[in-house]
């Protein structure tokens, strides 16, 4: 994107050499005076006057100093003066008035020859106010008939200023030509200098804007978010500095406009007002273009910053989740005792809390990616693939955590059953070794139901389903002990049940006499 100020009337040449100067216009030892220096002596004027056909007018005043101009200075001066009217007016061509009423006829001829050799524009008509002295007037009457055909432009020789009024309104001529156009050469120069300074400022700003935009368009936005953020901050600082310069230039332009805009403006001053107004309009449009450019560029750079931040967060979270996933896969110990299982459950809970924080962070990164995908500048497929990868890894980690918790819960349940089974076996052995009756045995069998023992085979199968490689030997040992005790208890119970089922032996009644005789008989036998 290029921003250019179309500076009215090529004001840039007033302070130095005109860009249109050709080679050979000046010698190596005499480069000549600048345009600013050439304007002061009034060798030629662009007063702002127009002919009846609205073509601009350039006047060569009768100051008897035109002959001191070198060819290069003449070219430099004419290049500037013909650039003062608007481009539309300049394309229509120029009228030229050569005032030589106080000069000699040779001066008229020299001026016409120089104009014919070089004039940076189309010449419509040249009006010559011929010398007024008797001798010069006589010479001009003879000579004008001889040389008018020598030039490729139309030449009208006027005997007096009144003849000019046939082609120009008096309002378009300066008082020295009998006109009414109020023209102050010093004021005109001061305003042109002010315009020149302002236009130079516009060109400097234009160059800075072009350089800035070219620089930021071609810059490497970087792959590191910190680098991109620094770049964005730096460019935003430069943008704000240029905005400050634009605001300052606008203020200067408005001040200049208030200086040149005065009551009863003449045409030449009106052209200055129009020039400043055009520059201010261009400045306003330029600022809008610059703001739109920066808006698009900053959106692009901010999007790139968000995208690189998302990728960095993705890489960090993916690495963290992969580490957790590996740790979860390495958690295979189940424990051989209840205390060890409790310790493993505590470790699993701590690990789950750690993972939950990172899983929430991963979810935030996924949300960040989904928001980023809504931006038209985003590469949706690329971002979506990263989000899917995080979802997949998060799901795997959650599955590992849940399976680990379930495994440890089952292991703890197995340990509880084993502990209760061991206690039951100990109680059973005590009952078997003692004089426990049927009631104690039935209570022992009823207590077995509290830890799932209704059948030794089913109990073994239940424990083996939850057993791991570490606990399989313990489960086998406990299951065998339970089977042994269960067998002895069931045998004991059956024995007690049979004993309880036998009828009681009858008691024989003995008469009292027999009871008294018996001890006597025993005594007799002893004797």
């Amino acid at each position: 994107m290029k921003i250019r100020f179309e500076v009215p009337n090529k004001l840039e040449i007033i302070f130095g050499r005109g860009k249109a100067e050709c080679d050979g216009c000046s010698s190596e030892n005499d480069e000549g005076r600048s345009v600013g220096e050439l304007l002061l002596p009034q060798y030629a004027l662009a007063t702002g006057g127009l002919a009846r056909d609205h073509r601009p007018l350039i006047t060569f005043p009768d100051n008897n100093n035109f002959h001191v101009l070198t060819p290069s200075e003449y070219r430099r001066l004419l290049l500037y003066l013909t650039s003062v009217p608007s481009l539309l007016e300049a394309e229509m061509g120029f009228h030229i008035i050569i005032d030589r009423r106080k000069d000699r006829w040779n001066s008229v001829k020299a001026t016409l020859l120089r104009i014919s050799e070089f004039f940076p524009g189309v010449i419509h008509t040249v009006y010559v106010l011929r010398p007024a002295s008797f001798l010069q007037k006589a010479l001009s009457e003879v000579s004008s008939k001889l040389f008018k055909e020598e030039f490729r432009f139309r030449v009208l020789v006027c005997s007096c200023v009144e003849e000019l009024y046939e082609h120009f309104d008096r309002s378009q001529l300066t008082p020295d030509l009998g006109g009414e156009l109020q023209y102050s050469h010093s004021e005109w120069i001061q305003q042109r200098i002010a315009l020149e300074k302002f236009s130079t400022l516009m060109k400097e700003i234009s160059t800075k804007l072009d350089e800035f935009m070219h620089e930021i368009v071609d810059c490497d936005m970087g792959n590191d978010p910190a680098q991109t953020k620094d770049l964005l901050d730096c460019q935003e600082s430069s943008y704000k500095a240029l905005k400050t310069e634009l605001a300052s230039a606008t203020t200067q332009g408005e001040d200049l406009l208030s200086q040149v805009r005065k009551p009863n403006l003449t045409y030449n001053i009106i052209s200055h007002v129009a020039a400043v107004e055009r520059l201010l309009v261009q400045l306003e449009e330029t600022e809008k273009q610059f703001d739109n450019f920066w808006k698009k560029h900053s959106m692009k750079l901010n999007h790139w910053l968000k995208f690189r931040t998302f990728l960095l967060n993705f890489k960090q979270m993916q690495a963290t989740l992969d580490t957790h996933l590996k740790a979860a896969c390495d958690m295979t110990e189940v424990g051989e005792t209840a205390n060890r299982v409790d310790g493993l459950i505590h470790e699993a809970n701590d690990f789950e809390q750690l993972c939950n924080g990172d899983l929430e962070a991963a979810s935030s990164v996924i949300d960040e990616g989904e928001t980023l995908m809504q931006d038209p500048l985003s590469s949706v497929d690329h971002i979506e693939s990263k989000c899917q990868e995080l979802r997949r890894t998060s799901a795997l980690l959650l599955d590992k955590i849940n399976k680990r918790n379930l495994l440890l819960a089952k292991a703890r349940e197995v340990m509880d059953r084993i502990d209760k089974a061991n206690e039951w076996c100990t109680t059973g052995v005590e009952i078997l070794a003692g004089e426990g009756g049927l009631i104690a045995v039935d209570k022992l069998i009823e207590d077995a139901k509290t830890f799932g023992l209704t059948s030794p085979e089913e109990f073994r199968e239940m424990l083996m389903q939850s057993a791991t490689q570490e606990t399989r030997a313990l489960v086998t040992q406990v299951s065998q002990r339970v089977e042994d005790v269960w067998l002895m208890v069931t045998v004991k119970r059956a024995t007690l049940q049979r004993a309880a089922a036998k009828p009681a032996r009858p008691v024989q009644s003995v008469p009292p006499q027999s009871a008294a005789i018996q001890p006597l008989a025993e005594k007799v036998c002893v004797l």
Side-chain angles (χ1 to χ4, degrees):
M1 176 183 178
K2 286 282 187 182
I3 291 181
R4 285 285 180 264
F5 288 99
E6 296 181 1
V7 181
N9 310 330
K10 301 180 182 177
L11 297 173
E12 69 273 11
I13 64 175
I14 194 170
F15 288 124
R17 301 289 179 261
K19 294 181 180 179
E21 286 185 17
C22 62
D23 296 336
C25 291
S26 61
S27 65
E28 294 181 359
N29 297 327
D30 181 18
E31 295 184 356
R33 292 165 288 176
S34 67
V35 172
E37 296 171 318
L38 294 173
L39 288 174
L40 291 174
Q42 302 186 42
Y43 300 114
L45 301 175
T47 61
L50 299 175
R52 294 185 188 277
D53 57 7
H54 302 290
R55 288 182 171 88
L57 170 64
I58 290 182
T59 304
F60 290 83
D62 190 10
N63 293 329
N64 195 25
N65 59 0
F66 188 75
H67 62 280
V68 302
L69 279 175
T70 65
S72 62
E73 290 176 340
Y74 165 75
R75 287 172 177 265
R76 192 172 301 128
L77 178 61
L78 265 292
L79 281 169
Y80 181 73
L81 292 178
T82 53
S83 70
V84 170
S86 67
L87 293 176
L88 179 60
E89 292 173 342
E91 289 175 355
M92 294 171 62
F94 292 84
H95 288 280
I96 298 175
I97 295 178
I98 302 175
D99 184 4
R100 292 295 181 265
R101 288 173 292 175
K102 300 177 184 178
D103 211 334
R104 296 175 300 172
W105 182 250
N106 287 338
S107 174
V108 175
K109 185 175 181 180
T111 304
L112 288 171
L113 288 173
R114 184 168 286 187
I115 292 173
S116 67
E117 291 173 359
F118 176 78
F119 188 85
V122 177
I123 300 176
H124 188 266
T125 306
V126 176
Y127 302 89
V128 178
L129 282 174
R130 66 185 182 181
S133 67
F134 178 79
L135 178 59
Q136 295 299 324
K137 184 176 181 181
L139 288 174
S140 64
E141 289 177 352
V142 176
S143 301
S144 62
K145 296 178 181 179
L146 298 177
F147 71 78
K148 280 197 296 184
E149 302 298 330
E150 298 179 9
F151 306 108
R152 61 180 181 274
F153 45 79
R154 182 185 177 197
V155 179
L156 291 180
V157 179
C158 301
S159 301
C160 59
V161 294
E162 285 74 11
E163 295 182 20
L164 292 176
Y165 304 155
E166 299 176 8
H167 309 281
F168 300 91
D169 289 333
R170 298 183 67 175
S171 62
Q172 301 298 314
L173 298 174
T174 53
D176 61 310
L177 297 176
E180 302 170 353
L181 179 62
Q182 298 301 315
Y183 173 77
S184 171
H185 190 59
S186 61
E187 182 182 12
W188 184 86
I189 290 178
Q190 290 301 318
Q191 291 187 358
R192 297 301 297 182
I193 291 174
L195 276 171
E196 182 66 35
K197 290 181 179 179
F198 185 54
S199 67
T200 301
L201 176 62
M202 296 299 96
K203 283 185 171 292
E204 291 175 354
I205 292 177
S206 174
T207 301
K208 289 181 180 179
L209 294 181
D210 282 342
E211 290 175 351
F212 173 71
M213 290 188 292
H214 179 75
E215 176 186 348
I216 65 177
V217 165
D218 296 338
C219 71
D220 180 10
M221 293 188 291
N223 293 324
D224 178 47
Q227 178 185 355
T228 304
K229 183 64 169 62
D230 291 342
L231 179 64
L232 178 60
D233 292 341
C234 179
Q235 292 183 357
E236 187 171 7
S237 177
S238 299
Y239 164 75
K240 291 180 179 179
L242 288 172
K243 284 284 290 181
T244 301
E245 290 193 36
L246 285 169
S248 176
T250 301
T251 301
Q252 293 184 40
E254 291 173 348
D255 291 343
L256 177 59
L257 184 60
S258 64
Q259 293 173 12
V260 298
R261 180 185 285 162
K262 298 178 180 179
N264 302 320
L265 292 176
T266 57
Y267 180 80
N268 60 320
I269 303 302
I270 291 176
S271 65
H272 293 170
V273 173
V276 177
E277 289 177 341
R278 284 197 296 271
L279 281 173
L280 287 173
V281 170
Q282 290 179 27
L283 185 60
E284 182 180 0
E285 291 299 320
T286 296
E287 187 167 7
K288 289 180 181 178
Q289 293 179 31
F290 184 55
D291 287 340
N292 290 335
F293 169 83
W294 172 252
K295 181 180 179 181
K296 293 179 181 178
H297 176 77
S298 60
M299 286 177 59
K300 178 181 177 182
L301 197 55
N302 273 297
H303 172 267
W304 181 255
L305 175 60
K306 292 177 182 177
F307 176 67
R308 297 311 307 183
T309 302
F310 166 76
L311 289 183
L312 178 62
N313 292 338
F314 162 77
K315 290 179 181 178
Q316 292 175 345
M317 289 312 308
Q318 186 65 28
T320 300
L321 294 182
D322 285 342
T323 301
H324 290 332
L325 191 59
K326 184 178 183 302
C329 292
D330 292 339
M331 291 180 179
T332 57
E333 183 184 358
V334 178
E336 298 180 356
T337 64
N339 289 336
R340 180 55 184 161
V341 173
D342 289 339
L344 292 174
I345 290 175
H346 181 72
E347 292 176 6
N349 290 336
D350 291 342
F351 179 72
E352 183 178 7
Q353 290 181 1
L354 175 63
C355 291
N356 284 340
D358 290 329
L359 286 171
E360 289 179 2
S363 179
S364 298
V365 174
I366 293 173
D367 292 341
E368 178 186 344
E370 291 178 345
T371 301
L372 197 58
M373 283 190 288
Q374 304 302 318
D375 195 317
L377 298 175
S378 295
S379 174
V380 176
D381 293 340
H382 185 62
I383 298 174
E384 177 63 23
S385 65
K386 302 300 183 185
C387 292
Q388 289 291 1
E389 183 66 17
L390 278 181
R391 292 190 187 99
R392 185 189 68 82
T393 307
S394 298
L396 285 175
L397 180 58
L398 278 173
D399 183 62
K400 286 290 183 181
I401 291 173
N402 292 334
K403 287 182 177 179
R404 175 66 175 171
N405 291 338
L406 181 61
L407 179 62
L408 290 176
K410 288 183 177 180
R412 188 67 182 86
E413 182 181 354
V414 168
M415 289 301 169
D416 286 342
R417 292 180 187 276
I418 289 175
D419 289 344
K420 290 180 179 180
N422 283 329
E423 292 177 2
W424 182 83
C425 289
T426 301
T427 303
V429 170
E430 291 176 354
I431 291 175
L432 292 173
E435 296 297 331
L438 183 59
I439 295 175
V441 172
D442 286 341
K443 184 177 183 305
L444 181 65
I445 294 175
E446 187 67 24
D447 290 343
K449 295 179 181 179
T450 60
F451 58 92
L453 176 58
T454 56
S455 167
E457 293 77 11
E458 293 178 0
F459 185 71
R460 174 189 287 272
E461 183 178 356
M462 179 179 62
L463 290 182
M464 292 302 291
Q465 288 177 353
S466 302
T468 63
Q469 188 174 359
E470 297 173 350
T471 60
R472 189 172 298 276
L474 178 61
V475 168
T476 301
Q477 179 183 354
V478 172
S479 298
Q480 186 61 50
R481 185 182 181 193
V482 167
E483 289 178 4
D484 293 342
V485 174
W486 180 271
L487 178 60
M488 289 187 291
V489 168
T490 53
V491 171
K492 176 72 172 178
R493 184 172 183 274
T495 301
L496 291 175
Q497 285 179 337
R498 285 195 301 270
K502 290 181 179 180
R505 295 178 62 182
V507 179
Q508 185 178 4
S509 59
V510 179
Q513 294 85 358
S514 300
I517 293 173
Q518 183 66 28
L520 180 60
E522 291 177 356
K523 291 180 180 180
V524 172
C525 290
V526 172
L527 293 175

